Amino acid sequence: MTIHRYLLCALLLGAPLGACRGGGALNDDPYRQNAIEAALDSGPQVERADGADMSRYSRVLVAMPTVAADATQGDEVSDEQIEKLRADFASRMVEAFGKSSRSAAILDDGASRDGAVIVRTEIVRAVPNKPLRNIAPQTQLTRTGYGYASVRMVIEDGATGRALVTMTETQSTTRFGTAKLSEWGTVEKAFDSWAAEAVKLSQP
């Protein structure tokens, strides 16, 4: 990461460099995801395998998301909350596919995978908002109450496990919007966005 990116982040946010992560230490996330890229709204980073042809598949299977061990970046989050996030993300993906031309179901280890793509996701970061810090304008300038979320998504051939499409993205709390007013608002908003992206990436 070059120094001008750090300077640009501070300039955009009106905050010291260390505040770009919402008050925590500035360090890179896996898969080149971090708070600077979220602040700059770089959008999803997508890689497609040569010859990937989604028209070959008639079904979509959604694997239960995994969660990185350090996803919450030190925030106290219970195991029950983590499990709820996993189930919520999977449910939102199935629902998003249900509104498209291609339906989806949760992956069952005993189910046939022939003719299906499997959508696998890792929640790399799920840092909750601190709503009480997001009320006053002066606290928003330092982003100390802002959460953010990062994902790595792989759409693979169900029969062979070959990766067809890989997507990574970080989304951060924005100053204007209501997501900042609830603990998991930013993360849940990201889930909806990533579910829509999964539908888009798996279309023929």
Side-chain angles (χ1 to χ4, degrees):
M1 191 69 68
T2 58
I3 187 63
H4 76 275
R5 293 290 299 277
Y6 289 100
L7 293 174
L8 181 56
C9 177
L11 181 63
L12 286 174
L13 302 179
L17 297 180
C20 292
R21 183 169 287 278
L26 186 65
N27 62 340
D28 285 342
D29 287 340
Y31 314 116
R32 301 176 63 84
Q33 303 297 305
N34 58 46
I36 289 178
E37 288 164 351
L40 295 176
D41 192 21
S42 59
Q45 306 299 307
V46 178
E47 295 182 7
R48 291 183 179 273
D50 291 340
D53 180 7
M54 293 299 178
S55 66
R56 297 173 51 196
Y57 306 96
S58 59
R59 299 183 298 134
V60 178
L61 300 173
V62 176
M64 283 298 295
T66 61
V67 182
D70 57 349
T72 62
Q73 291 290 275
D75 281 32
E76 293 186 6
V77 177
S78 69
D79 291 342
E80 289 77 12
Q81 286 178 301
I82 292 295
E83 288 304 307
K84 184 176 179 181
L85 288 176
R86 294 179 64 215
D88 184 34
F89 190 12
S91 175
R92 288 171 190 251
M93 279 195 288
V94 171
E95 182 179 356
F97 277 104
K99 295 177 181 178
S100 71
S101 60
R102 181 175 288 179
S103 62
I106 297 295
L107 175 64
D108 183 337
D109 289 340
S112 171
R113 303 182 182 190
D114 291 337
V117 290
I118 298 176
V119 181
R120 298 189 186 276
T121 52
E122 179 185 17
I123 302 172
V124 179
R125 294 288 183 262
V127 179
N129 291 314
K130 298 173 177 62
L132 292 179
R133 297 185 186 179
N134 294 332
I135 298 174
Q138 59 268 28
T139 59
Q140 292 190 56
L141 286 176
T142 60
R143 299 175 61 87
T144 56
Y146 283 11
Y148 69 106
S150 299
V151 74
R152 181 174 189 262
M153 178 187 299
V154 179
I155 300 177
E156 65 181 36
D157 182 291
T160 66
R162 176 186 178 228
L164 303 171
V165 182
T166 301
M167 187 274 283
T168 59
E169 188 182 23
T170 295
Q171 294 193 16
S172 180
T173 300
T174 57
R175 185 174 181 183
F176 302 102
T178 59
K180 65 187 177 184
L181 301 178
S182 66
E183 185 178 27
W184 295 108
T186 296
V187 175
E188 292 167 349
K189 183 178 178 181
F191 286 171
D192 282 334
S193 174
W194 296 334
E197 191 69 18
V199 172
K200 176 182 174 182
L201 294 175
S202 65
Q203 291 299 316

